[in-house]
Amino acid sequence: MAEQYLLSIDNGTQSVRALLFDLQGELVAKAQVHLQAYYSEHPGWAEHDADGYWRAVGQACQQLWQNCSVPRTAIKGVAVTTQRGTVVNVDRDGKVLRPAITWLDQRRVGPQPPLSLLWRTAFKLTGLSGTIEYFRREAEINWIAQYQPEVWQQTYKYLLLSGFLNLRLCGRHVDSIGSQVAYLPFDYKGHKWAGARDWKWEALKIRPDMLPELVAPGTIIGAITADAAAFTGIPEGTPLVAAAADKACEVIGAGALEPHVACLSYGTTATINTTSRKYVEVTPLIPPYPAAIPGAYSTEVQIFRGYWMVNWFKEQFGHLEQLTGAEQGLAPEFMFDQLVNEVPPGSMGLMLQPYWSPGIKTPGPEAKGAMIGFGDVHTRAHMYRAILEGLAYALREGKERIEKRSGVPVTELRVAGGGSQSDAAMQLTADIFGLPAARAHIYETSGLGAAIAIAAGLGLHKDFDTATRAMTRPGRVFQPIAANRQIYDRLYKRVYLHMYQRLQPMYQQIADITGYPEQV
C-alpha cells in the first residue's frame, strides 16, 4: 500500500497543480504553476493559450519530481481534472487552431437561423424558446463557425480542456463523461452524446465526428506516450484514467457521496452540489451535470464568479491587509478573517445579493448584483462580511431548491475551495445554514477526487464508494451558534429571499437604459 501513489493533474482557472496522493487520501507532494486567468482582446472575451496550459502541466510535473522523494515507478496511474467549459479546437495532427475560449468568456453570437418548425412549435408550447435561444447564443461552437469559418473548416476535433490534456498525455481523442459541462450536444440524462434526432444538432453547428469518444469516470483511457513522458517526466506507459470536471471531483473529494450531504465549493464559482443516482432538475428544464461517479448526477446550483468577489474586494479595498500581512509574515486571508470578526452577524443591516453575472432562469438574464442597507456606520469590514454572508444566503437558497426538487433534506455540509480556509467564512456558513459545516480534510479536494477515480478505476480500492470512504474524511467541524443563527434566519427569510423579486424590474430598466447586460 505504501508504494502505490496516484498523480492528479488539476488545471484550474488560476493555476495548474501536479498532486501526488496515497491510497489513504493524504497529499504526499504538490507542485503549482500559476496562470494568468485569461487575456482579453475585445471587451467580454476571455481566452488563453491552449498550449500554455500544456506547458504549465509539464512545468508542474517536472517541479513535482524535483521536490519529491517518491520514486516515479510507484505512481500507478494519472488523471486529469480541469476547469469546466473551456474549449479547444485542434486539427487532424493535434495542432491548436486558435486560443482556448475559457468559461469566463462572455461573447455571444448574433441572431441564428430559425430552428425547424417542429422544434420551434415544441419549444413555444413548453415555454422553452428563450432558454433554447440563450443556449444557441452562448455556444462557442456557433461563434467560431460564424465569425472564424476558416478555423471551423480546419477543426478536426472540438475538445474541452480535459479532452485536450488527455490528447497530449495519451495521444487519443477521449474524454470523461464527468467532464461534459459546456454548450455541447450532450445528453445529460443518458450520459452520452445526443441522439441523432436531438434538437442540439440543429442548434449547434457541429458534426458528431468532431467530438471525442466519451467514457465513464474510472475508465482507463490510454497510457502516457513517450513524448508526454519526456515532457512531463511521468513514466511512459503509466495508465491515464478518466476523472471528471473540477467541481464534480471536488464533491467526491469532500466526501459528499449521498444526497443528504451537500458540498459547498467556495471557489471562483461558488456552488452547492449533492450527488444523486436520480435524475433531478433543480431548475426545471435545466439538466443536472454528470457526477464524478459513474451513472450519478450532480444536482448543482451555482453562483457565477462567487468567490471571485472576495478577490475583487482584496484587489480594490484590501491593500492594508495585504501589506500588514506581509509585514507580519501572515497570509492575507488571516488578516481578512480579522476584518470579518470585527463586524457582528448581519453586518449591521448591510445585505448583498451576489448576482454579478446574468443567468438563464434563477437569476434571469437581466440580473445584476445589489447591496442594500448602507449607513454611516458601515466600513470596509462590513462590506467584506456582507459579501461572505450574501454568498452563503444564495447557496442556502440553492440548498432549499435542491431539497424541494429531490425530496431529500440536506443534513450535512462539506465545504471545499479557497474560501473554506477562512474560519470566519466557515462559521458564518454554519450559522446561516443552521447546520454543522465540515471543512474537507485537505485543501486539494478536486485533485483528491481525481485520485479517487484512479484508485477505483485501477482496482486499488474496490469501487468508487470504497475509495471515497477510504480517502476522505471531515476536517474541522464548525457548529452553528444559536444567537447568530436566529439573526441570519430572520434576515434570510424576511429580506434576502425578497431582494431579487423586488429588484428584478429595476434590473430590467437598468439594462434597457444602459445596454448592460448586453444580452437582454
Side-chain angles (χ1 to χ4, degrees):
M1 295 283 283
E3 294 302 317
Q4 299 183 99
Y5 296 92
L6 316 167
L7 176 61
S8 297
I9 295 169
D10 188 347
N11 192 155
T13 304
Q14 300 181 62
S15 72
V16 172
R17 275 116 47 217
L19 307 162
L20 205 58
F21 294 92
D22 65 20
L23 291 180
Q24 290 72 48
E26 295 298 334
L27 182 61
V28 176
K30 169 181 175 177
Q32 184 172 22
V33 174
H34 291 281
L35 300 170
Q36 177 185 353
Y38 63 89
Y39 63 84
S40 184
E41 292 187 350
H42 300 278
W45 289 23
E47 298 184 329
H48 200 285
D49 175 16
D51 285 318
Y53 286 131
W54 174 237
R55 287 192 295 273
V57 168
Q59 292 167 14
C61 288
Q62 294 291 358
Q63 286 179 23
L64 186 72
W65 313 132
Q66 292 170 14
N67 302 308
C68 176
S69 60
V70 173
R72 300 184 207 181
T73 53
I75 298 167
K76 299 305 176 184
V78 186
V80 165
T81 182
T82 69
Q83 55 185 276
R84 306 185 300 192
T86 292
V87 296
V88 183
N89 298 63
V90 297
D91 67 12
R92 189 173 292 273
D93 298 320
K95 178 185 176 183
V96 174
L97 295 171
R98 70 171 320 283
I101 300 179
T102 78
W103 67 275
L104 289 161
D105 195 276
Q106 297 180 50
R107 78 188 74 189
R108 288 165 186 86
V109 192
Q112 297 290 289
L115 296 176
S116 64
L117 179 61
L118 175 65
W119 284 119
R120 292 204 312 275
T121 303
F123 292 140
K124 185 175 182 180
L125 290 173
T126 55
L128 274 175
S129 298
T131 301
I132 301 305
E133 286 311 304
Y134 179 93
F135 176 91
R136 298 180 76 194
R137 291 198 308 270
E138 290 282 332
E140 297 87 358
I141 288 169
N142 291 344
W143 190 94
I144 298 169
Q146 181 168 335
Y147 296 107
Q148 297 181 338
E150 69 290 347
V151 169
W152 198 242
Q153 288 170 9
Q154 296 178 66
T155 299
Y156 177 65
K157 293 292 181 183
Y158 182 79
L159 305 170
L160 293 178
L161 178 57
S162 49
F164 172 68
L165 295 183
N166 287 339
L167 172 64
R168 288 288 186 263
L169 287 165
C170 76
R172 298 187 62 212
H173 295 105
V174 186
D175 203 3
S176 173
I177 288 167
S179 296
Q180 304 312 301
V181 180
Y183 295 99
L184 292 168
F186 183 69
D187 175 354
Y188 283 92
K189 188 172 186 179
H191 285 175
K192 59 187 178 181
W193 293 127
R197 296 183 179 180
D198 195 289
W199 63 270
K200 296 184 188 75
W201 297 111
E202 190 177 333
L204 300 171
K205 296 179 173 63
I206 193 168
R207 304 185 310 273
D209 62 276
M210 297 171 72
L211 296 166
E213 176 188 350
L214 293 182
V215 298
T219 303
I220 300 173
I221 61 177
I224 301 301
T225 66
D227 286 346
F231 188 70
T232 64
I234 304 169
E236 182 181 356
T238 303
L240 179 64
V241 179
D246 54 4
K247 292 293 184 186
C249 282
E250 205 167 47
V251 174
I252 63 168
L257 277 176
E258 306 295 335
H260 71 276
V261 182
C263 176
L264 304 181
S265 174
Y266 283 168
T268 306
T269 290
T271 59
I272 179 166
N273 294 71
T274 63
T275 302
S276 175
R277 295 287 177 177
K278 290 168 44 181
Y279 179 86
V280 176
E281 295 178 350
V282 179
T283 302
L285 305 175
I286 303 297
Y289 295 141
I293 300 173
Y297 303 94
S298 190
T299 52
E300 175 175 302
V301 173
Q302 63 177 250
I303 311 301
F304 192 68
R305 294 199 182 208
Y307 259 72
W308 194 287
M309 294 184 194
V310 173
N311 289 331
W312 168 82
F313 180 90
K314 187 187 302 183
E315 291 172 3
Q316 300 301 323
F317 304 107
H319 302 297
L320 177 60
E321 284 70 31
Q322 294 185 69
L323 288 172
T324 305
E327 289 171 358
Q328 299 180 13
L330 298 170
E333 288 72 18
F334 177 81
M335 305 303 296
F336 282 107
D337 264 14
Q338 290 186 333
L339 203 64
V340 174
N341 292 331
E342 294 173 6
V343 176
S347 302
M348 297 180 73
L350 197 61
M351 298 280 290
L352 177 127
Q353 180 185 271
Y355 295 154
W356 268 25
S357 296
I360 303 175
K361 291 194 172 184
T362 308
E366 79 297 322
K368 298 177 77 67
M371 190 176 280
I372 63 173
F374 267 116
D376 60 2
V377 298
H378 293 127
T379 65
R380 292 180 312 118
H382 295 85
M383 181 183 291
Y384 185 67
R385 185 173 185 113
I387 289 172
L388 299 183
E389 291 173 341
L391 289 166
Y393 286 140
L395 291 173
R396 174 176 166 177
E397 185 180 16
K399 175 189 82 81
E400 292 171 359
R401 287 166 54 199
I402 291 171
E403 291 173 325
K404 182 178 180 180
R405 297 289 294 182
S406 69
V408 179
V410 170
T411 59
E412 299 180 44
L413 300 179
R414 301 281 188 272
V415 188
S420 69
Q421 302 309 294
S422 163
D423 286 356
M426 290 294 300
Q427 185 59 59
L428 68 83
T429 297
D431 294 340
I432 287 174
F433 279 78
L435 292 169
R439 182 181 283 149
H441 84 276
I442 61 169
Y443 173 71
E444 297 290 355
T445 42
S446 54
L448 178 56
I452 288 169
I454 303 171
L458 297 181
L460 302 174
H461 284 299
K462 180 182 176 182
D463 50 29
F464 271 85
D465 185 78
T466 305
T468 303
R469 296 185 191 283
M471 297 173 69
T472 68
R473 48 206 158 272
R476 180 180 171 187
V477 180
F478 293 76
Q479 297 292 339
I481 297 170
N484 297 353
R485 178 181 177 179
Q486 290 176 9
I487 292 169
Y488 282 132
D489 209 48
R490 293 167 68 191
L491 285 171
Y492 173 73
K493 292 177 178 176
R494 293 166 59 178
V495 182
Y496 183 82
L497 287 179
H498 302 282
M499 284 177 68
Y500 179 63
Q501 182 182 10
R502 301 281 178 86
L503 293 170
Q504 185 181 26
M506 286 179 279
Y507 290 154
Q508 185 66 61
Q509 293 298 321
I510 290 170
D512 291 344
I513 295 166
T514 66
Y516 181 82
E518 62 185 51
Q519 72 269 26
V520 175

